[in-house]
Amino acid sequence: VLLLQRCLQLLLLPIHALACLGLWDSFYKKVFPYVMAKVAPAYNQKVYSQKQELFSSLRRFAGPSGQLRLLEIGTGTGTNFQFYPAGCRLTCTDPNPNFRMFLLRNLSENQHLRLERLVVASGEDLHQVADGSMDVVVCTLVLCSVSSIRRVLEEVLRVLRQGGAFYFLEHVAADHCSWTYFWQQVCDPFWKYFGDGCCLSRETEEELEKTNFSELNLRHFHVPPCWIPTSPHIIGYAVK
């Protein structure tokens, strides 16, 4: 693993140097939304049936008024909008303001939704969202790149009402005895440069199990092709 990491380090030395100088992050945060605008639709096609099944139960967590107050962490380009129920009251958060143009474009194609707030914030600090104000929190392909999964989940519990639900879909660490995990270990130190801080070997399931949810529904699946480092996924929801 170390030998292959050193080889990659040599190949990516210019990018590593820019990152050390603090130049890569500011540059890539402007480029990343354009990359995701191209990549996200292809990914959505691969997991369409999984997302459709997952989000089909959102309505059951609507409040007494029948309206669903939904907060999405790391909304990005808004690729989940098509799966949300009509009339959904939507609060979107993302730490990267450069996603705004793509998000609004996607929202204009999903007029069955009602955007209430668009907040520039990280998942670790959602202080602009009131305690117990949300019926549902959604997070897809975000926990891999946050600085602290624990802090994000603490914020999720804070903003959810009692009986509300946290919906997630994340790529995670592979089985430690597999070749996929071997390549995750090799690529992990450098993957963050191209995935905006993304970590390939996050043990997200363990963090979810440690969090004080009253119910956790989770299953594993693989996104094809199965040999790529981001193939292992978890999907499900947890109830406060």
Side-chain angles (χ1 to χ4, degrees):
V1 170
L2 286 173
L3 177 62
L4 289 171
Q5 283 180 348
R6 293 292 180 266
C7 292
L8 276 176
Q9 192 171 29
L10 286 173
L11 288 171
L12 300 174
L13 192 57
I15 294 175
H16 185 65
L18 288 172
C20 291
L21 292 170
L23 301 174
W24 177 256
D25 191 55
S26 58
F27 163 74
Y28 200 66
K29 284 201 179 298
K30 294 177 182 177
V31 174
F32 191 57
Y34 290 90
V35 174
M36 290 307 298
K38 297 292 184 183
V39 172
Y43 175 82
N44 245 11
Q45 286 184 349
K46 290 184 178 182
V47 298
Y48 185 87
S49 61
Q50 287 89 349
K51 280 191 176 185
Q52 194 172 45
E53 180 185 359
L54 175 68
F55 294 129
S56 65
S57 61
L58 281 171
R59 274 287 181 203
R60 63 178 278 211
F61 294 104
S65 66
Q67 288 189 316
L68 182 71
R69 300 166 300 172
L70 188 152
L71 166 69
E72 182 167 358
I73 298 173
T75 309
T77 60
T79 53
N80 290 328
F81 289 168
Q82 62 182 298
F83 301 100
Y84 295 159
C88 181
R89 295 169 57 188
L90 191 61
T91 298
C92 298
T93 72
D94 201 287
N96 188 344
N98 298 299
F99 273 113
R100 182 184 177 90
M101 175 181 70
F102 299 98
L103 185 151
L104 293 177
R105 183 188 300 167
N106 216 326
L107 193 66
S108 69
E109 298 171 1
N110 291 276
Q111 297 189 5
H112 63 289
L113 302 176
R114 174 182 164 189
L115 179 64
E116 295 210 321
R117 295 179 70 191
L118 183 56
V119 181
V120 177
S122 68
E124 295 92 335
D125 184 9
L126 300 173
H127 69 273
Q128 298 177 67
V129 183
D131 295 5
S133 61
M134 294 294 156
D135 300 308
V136 168
V137 176
V138 173
C139 190
T140 63
L141 301 185
V142 172
L143 296 179
C144 59
S145 58
V146 299
S147 60
S148 171
I149 297 178
R150 180 185 56 80
R151 285 171 53 198
V152 173
L153 295 178
E154 286 174 353
E155 283 289 80
V156 167
L157 283 175
R158 181 184 65 78
V159 302
L160 276 176
R161 64 167 176 81
Q162 195 65 39
F166 172 56
Y167 280 69
F168 55 87
L169 186 157
E170 300 286 338
H171 71 79
V172 293
D175 184 293
H176 289 201
C177 297
S178 67
W179 277 106
T180 303
Y181 185 71
F182 172 81
W183 288 111
Q184 284 180 338
Q185 295 293 100
V186 170
C187 299
D188 225 354
F190 314 102
W191 191 267
K192 61 184 179 180
Y193 294 143
F194 305 103
D196 199 22
C198 175
C199 176
L200 290 169
S201 55
R202 284 274 167 94
E203 303 285 355
T204 307
E205 182 177 355
E206 291 183 7
E207 293 295 333
L208 285 164
E209 290 172 346
K210 291 176 188 174
T211 306
N212 193 28
F213 290 110
S214 64
E215 178 185 339
L216 176 61
N217 300 276
L218 178 151
R219 68 180 178 88
H220 294 257
F221 74 103
H222 283 79
V223 174
C226 291
W227 53 266
I228 62 173
T230 55
S231 176
H233 277 58
I234 57 171
I235 187 171
Y237 67 92
V239 181
K240 178 176 176 179

